[in-house]
Amino acid sequence: MNYEKQSRKNKLKIEVQKLLQKRLFQKFIDRRYVLLFDTLLGTLSALLVGLCVGWVAPASFIDKSYFTITIGVAFISTLLTTYLFRTYKQAFRFSSLDISTRTFWYTVCNTLSVGILSTTILLLVNAEVNLKVLLLHSLLFFLLFFIVFFFMTVLSRACFIILARWGTAGDPTTTKVTTFVVIYGTNEESVALANLLERNRNYNVVGFCSQRRHESTFTIAGKPILYVSSQKDVAILIKRYGVRAIIFSNKDDLFAERNGLVEVCLALGVSAMLAPEIEKTTPTLLAEQGVRHINIEDLLLRDEIKLDMTPVKQLYTGKTILVTGAAGSIGSEIARQVAGLDIKHLVLFDNAETPLHNIRLELQKKFPNLQFSPIIGDVRSKERVDMVFRRFHPHIVLHAAAYKHVPLMEENPCEAILVNCMGTQNIADHCLKYGVEKMVMISTDKAVNPTNVMGATKRSAEMYVQALGHAIEEGKIEGKTIFLTTRFGNVLGSQGSVFHLFREQIANGGPITVTHPDITRYFMSIREACRLVLQASALGDTTRIFVFEMGEPHKIVDLARNMIRLARLIPDEQIKIEYTGLRPGEKIYEEVLDSHEHTIPTKLPKIRMAMVRPNDFDPIAAQFEELKKRSYNVDIIGSVAAIKALVPEYRSNNSEFEKLDKPCPDKETK
């Protein structure tokens, strides 16, 4: 019996909720109902106060015109005041029970307007009324009307909020937590973002923030402009408005504030968020994708220059392209970008089975009409490389195959030499043999004044392909291949990146390990680096080394602290940072040019051409043979000594191979 009674109650409750959602609620209480209700509330308040005043006012003062004027003025004034203050637009189901500043001033302004207008009209229609009595009546009316109207407004708001939450209890969007946010900037993008977020129940836009003080006196789209320039101002936003996030409408503003407002927000526990591109965003898309928390890459990446891909497309269209190291971070991204250039055939060459299989599946899905061939092979194998060139006859070779991890190569120098030096030599020689139009070698900033085996092997490879290219241009060697080298720093998201390590360490509760407090590095996105590689391949018509503009270097320890803050944790408290000391061969500072090199600009702003010291091919070829012999024999000391002879600027740092360096009285640690 009790069960049936309870079941009937539940069914009744559900039916009432459905009725409320259908007739009264949609996404929120219909604004027309709220506007009408507030108007009637003001009218009722005036009537009640009028009756109270009638008890104490003289009989001659109270007549039919008194009530008519008071009620009529209250109706019109409340209607206009409600409309001006936009109080009817409140989304009650997402509101708090706190009394807002807007509600207070709304009641004050309505009280003044009703009181002043009704008093003035009464004085005009009844000239015989005692002025002193009228003033006393006005003061009493002001006081009582404010108390009654304010109390009834607050009570009605509380009832609306409770009713709205109960009436929409079956709506899954009500379970989502509303976050109070401010939008950075006062431009059109910011306003457009605010309008889009008005339809998103996850966020409540408090206002816009600006660092221009004079703008704080204005409002945009009904939202105030809040002056924010310091940590104190952000703290006020948190305390006064409950702000938990600042949302940037574009990457330009985010990057400009990475060392300013963003750092302040992160230090105070306020999230920094980035919206999708406004021009490409719809309310539906915003609801699906939403705004996202920024990551460390957002703070490091610079704005990518809009590059003209026409020369690149002209160069690559209808040609066979060979990418070595195609399963690696750089090689796979190059393969993706080349796949979209209307090429004839793409050859992917790598010795890593599973990653090569993965890139194969990806290209099959994204480019179903692309002709490509994944080839398992080692760049050290002359026979395998020759088979690839003989079978496919590539027009352009993009050589990304290399060993790159500094500490590991310091422990395995012979393998580093065989892959990075002999592998590059093998590819370059076959480019010459089969008449390849261009070979583009992917180098690194670690090749400049190297302090480790990896950097020295990459510099040696640079020297070989450059010397071979110059020998062809001078007519010493017969051939037509143009040899280009691209040199840039670290790329974000690459395999084995320090950011992957830091994320794992944060997830495990710390500590984060940094080798040295002063260590700095340049960073570039993989996508941008590979686009610039393709651009450089279209620039060069003679043997050249192209250097990419890397922006400002970043301290690794600062990046670690920011990553901790982005995880909404406190550096040095919740997550410790430990210094482990420089690893063998590790530099504190990286550089893209040595002291004997300089650059000249190209027609692309982010690519410069390095004026590198020329080298004769024959001596370098002879030294490469010596390197090959020692490395195949696993003569570790002899191999490193040979490469130091080939690259005189190579001086080991924090390594067992320092003993092979010749004394240098003015040696500087890089």
Side-chain angles (χ1 to χ4, degrees):
M1 190 73 165
N2 290 334
Y3 174 78
E4 292 179 356
K5 187 177 181 181
Q6 186 65 35
S7 179
R8 285 196 299 269
K9 286 183 178 180
N10 291 336
K11 287 181 179 179
L12 180 62
K13 176 183 176 183
I14 294 171
E15 290 299 322
V16 173
Q17 288 177 336
K18 288 181 178 179
L19 182 64
L20 287 172
Q21 292 177 21
K22 184 178 180 181
R23 299 295 181 186
L24 185 62
F25 298 98
Q26 295 174 4
K27 293 183 178 179
F28 39 76
I29 297 180
D30 194 301
R31 296 173 179 179
R32 295 171 298 179
Y33 296 145
V34 180
L35 180 61
L36 178 61
F37 183 85
D38 283 351
T39 303
L40 295 176
L41 199 66
T43 306
L44 178 62
S45 299
L47 178 61
L48 293 175
V49 172
L51 292 173
C52 292
V53 173
W55 292 341
V56 296
S60 59
F61 186 80
I62 306 298
D63 56 12
K64 291 182 179 179
S65 64
Y66 168 79
F67 286 103
T68 304
I69 292 171
T70 301
I71 293 172
V73 168
F75 181 86
I76 296 172
S77 176
T78 306
L79 179 64
L80 293 174
T81 308
T82 304
Y83 182 79
L84 290 173
F85 277 83
R86 301 289 195 271
T87 56
Y88 63 95
K89 288 188 175 182
Q90 187 175 359
F92 293 102
R93 65 189 275 199
F94 300 103
S95 300
S96 68
L97 294 172
D98 298 333
I99 301 171
S100 67
T101 304
R102 179 178 292 187
T103 301
F104 175 78
W105 286 112
Y106 158 68
T107 55
V108 170
C109 288
N110 193 38
T111 299
L112 290 174
S113 64
V114 171
I116 293 173
L117 285 174
S118 61
T119 301
T120 303
I121 295 173
L122 284 171
L123 185 62
L124 292 174
V125 298
N126 190 1
E128 297 179 358
V129 69
N130 188 297
L131 186 60
K132 184 180 291 186
V133 173
L134 183 62
L135 290 175
L136 289 172
H137 159 269
S138 299
L139 290 173
L140 182 61
F141 186 90
F142 282 167
L143 180 62
L144 291 178
F145 185 82
F146 175 78
I147 294 173
V148 173
F149 184 60
F150 183 76
F151 174 78
M152 294 183 70
T153 299
V154 173
L155 182 62
S156 67
R157 291 299 185 268
C159 291
F160 269 133
I161 292 170
I162 295 170
L163 184 63
R165 291 177 179 177
W166 184 81
T168 57
D171 189 345
T173 60
T174 60
T175 61
K176 297 180 179 180
V177 178
T178 301
T179 303
F180 291 90
V181 302
V182 293
I183 296 175
Y184 180 88
T186 56
N187 54 23
E188 294 182 357
E189 283 186 330
S190 302
V191 176
L193 175 60
N195 292 332
L196 288 171
L197 289 177
E198 285 291 325
R199 310 180 192 185
N200 190 306
R201 299 296 149 238
N202 295 327
Y203 303 102
N204 189 334
V205 180
V206 172
F208 303 87
C209 67
S210 171
Q211 299 192 43
R212 294 183 287 271
R213 186 179 289 275
H214 70 277
E215 290 186 348
S216 61
T217 59
F218 300 96
T219 61
I220 302 177
K223 305 287 184 182
I225 300 177
L226 307 168
Y227 176 68
V228 178
S229 67
S230 65
Q231 186 166 324
K232 181 180 178 182
D233 297 326
V234 177
I236 291 173
L237 290 182
I238 298 173
K239 184 177 180 181
R240 184 175 297 175
Y241 301 100
V243 171
R244 302 310 306 165
I246 179 170
I247 302 178
F248 292 85
S249 59
N250 59 75
K251 287 186 177 182
D252 293 346
D253 290 340
L254 174 62
F255 190 74
E257 290 294 335
R258 69 191 188 283
N259 296 322
L261 187 59
V262 172
E263 281 202 351
V264 170
C265 288
L266 294 179
L268 293 176
V270 175
S271 299
M273 310 182 77
L274 180 65
E277 291 186 49
I278 298 299
E279 295 180 355
K280 303 178 182 178
T281 302
T282 64
T284 303
L285 189 63
L286 185 67
E288 292 175 354
Q289 298 181 350
V291 296
R292 64 171 177 84
H293 290 276
I294 66 169
N295 50 45
I296 193 64
E297 289 86 350
D298 294 318
L299 302 181
L300 295 178
L301 295 184
R302 300 153 298 140
D303 298 326
E304 297 184 16
I305 293 178
K306 303 295 182 183
L307 300 174
D308 183 11
M309 296 299 290
T310 303
V312 178
K313 290 179 180 178
Q314 291 175 347
L315 175 64
Y316 283 80
T317 298
K319 294 181 178 177
T320 298
I321 312 298
L322 168 62
V323 180
T324 70
S329 304
I330 297 292
S332 60
E333 179 59 28
I334 287 177
R336 294 183 190 98
Q337 295 190 17
V338 169
L341 295 178
D342 195 24
I343 60 175
K344 178 183 178 181
H345 199 105
L346 176 62
V347 184
L348 308 174
F349 190 81
D350 206 293
N351 66 349
E353 176 197 12
T354 300
L356 188 61
H357 175 68
N358 292 337
I359 190 67
R360 175 184 192 168
L361 296 178
E362 181 184 339
L363 293 179
Q364 284 176 338
K365 182 179 179 180
K366 291 183 177 178
F367 305 95
N369 298 322
L370 175 68
Q371 290 188 355
F372 71 98
S373 301
I375 305 294
I376 294 288
D378 195 323
V379 291
R380 294 173 291 187
S381 172
K382 285 186 178 181
E383 294 76 15
R384 191 61 170 167
V385 170
D386 189 80
M387 183 278 296
V388 171
F389 277 81
R390 185 174 66 254
R391 177 180 173 185
F392 298 104
H393 289 278
H395 298 92
I396 299 173
V397 175
L398 300 164
H399 179 52
Y403 284 149
K404 67 177 184 177
H405 293 290
V406 170
L408 195 59
M409 295 304 100
E410 204 71 14
E411 298 167 0
N412 301 274
C414 293
E415 292 303 305
I417 292 171
L418 290 174
V419 171
N420 295 355
C421 297
M422 304 305 107
T424 301
Q425 180 190 34
N426 196 15
I427 296 295
D429 289 349
H430 280 84
C431 287
L432 178 66
K433 177 180 177 181
Y434 286 91
V436 171
E437 294 178 14
K438 287 185 178 180
M439 172 184 168
V440 183
M441 174 192 163
I442 312 298
S443 189
T444 171
D445 56 1
K446 293 176 176 62
V448 180
N449 295 320
T451 59
N452 50 69
V453 170
M454 195 282 287
T457 58
K458 295 296 285 186
R459 177 57 188 146
S460 301
E462 287 185 1
M463 293 169 66
Y464 184 88
V465 297
Q466 290 294 298
L468 181 58
H470 288 307
I472 294 172
E473 292 169 2
E474 294 169 359
K476 297 179 180 179
I477 295 178
E478 185 177 351
K480 66 175 187 177
T481 306
I482 297 171
F483 292 93
L484 306 174
T485 299
T486 57
R487 188 189 288 170
F488 51 91
N490 298 333
V491 292
L492 295 168
S494 64
Q495 297 174 12
S497 168
V498 67
F499 300 108
H500 297 310
L501 174 63
F502 286 174
R503 287 192 179 101
E504 183 179 346
Q505 290 175 335
I506 292 172
N508 293 331
I512 283 184
T513 54
V514 180
T515 58
H516 193 280
D518 296 326
I519 195 166
T520 62
R521 290 293 182 265
Y522 294 96
F523 293 99
M524 177 180 286
S525 72
I526 293 179
R527 180 175 178 271
E528 182 182 18
C530 295
R531 280 172 63 90
L532 291 174
V533 167
L534 299 182
Q535 287 282 334
S537 68
L539 278 178
D541 53 3
T542 58
T543 298
R544 297 291 187 212
I545 289 182
F546 293 104
V547 178
F548 296 168
E549 191 274 308
M550 297 295 298
E552 296 296 322
H554 300 270
K555 273 193 172 185
I556 299 300
V557 66
D558 291 341
L559 301 182
R561 289 197 174 98
N562 279 333
M563 289 185 69
I564 295 171
R565 295 188 183 106
L566 289 170
R568 289 171 283 283
L569 299 169
I570 303 174
D572 301 317
E573 292 185 17
Q574 294 172 295
I575 300 290
K576 300 292 185 181
I577 297 176
E578 294 181 357
Y579 298 106
T580 58
L582 289 175
R583 297 172 297 179
E586 189 173 28
K587 278 185 176 182
I588 294 180
Y589 309 104
E590 298 288 11
E591 46 203 334
V592 293
L593 294 169
D594 70 19
S595 58
H596 299 93
E597 297 176 346
H598 67 278
T599 62
I600 59 175
T602 66
K603 59 183 179 181
L604 295 177
K606 286 194 175 184
I607 301 179
R608 298 183 69 83
M609 190 163 60
M611 306 306 293
V612 182
R613 294 164 293 170
N615 294 282
D616 292 333
F617 178 72
D618 290 338
I620 289 181
Q623 287 176 296
F624 260 58
E625 289 303 313
E626 181 69 16
L627 270 176
K628 184 189 302 182
K629 177 182 175 182
R630 293 180 180 272
S631 297
Y632 271 121
N633 291 331
V634 200
D635 180 3
I636 295 176
I637 298 298
S639 298
V640 177
I643 204 167
K644 285 180 178 290
L646 178 60
V647 185
E649 64 269 26
Y650 167 31
R651 305 190 66 83
S652 299
N653 184 38
N654 193 35
S655 170
E656 62 177 305
F657 303 123
E658 287 183 80
K659 61 186 179 183
L660 301 176
D661 293 329
K662 296 180 180 179
C664 183
D666 55 352
K667 176 182 176 180
E668 295 182 2
T669 302
K670 296 291 182 183

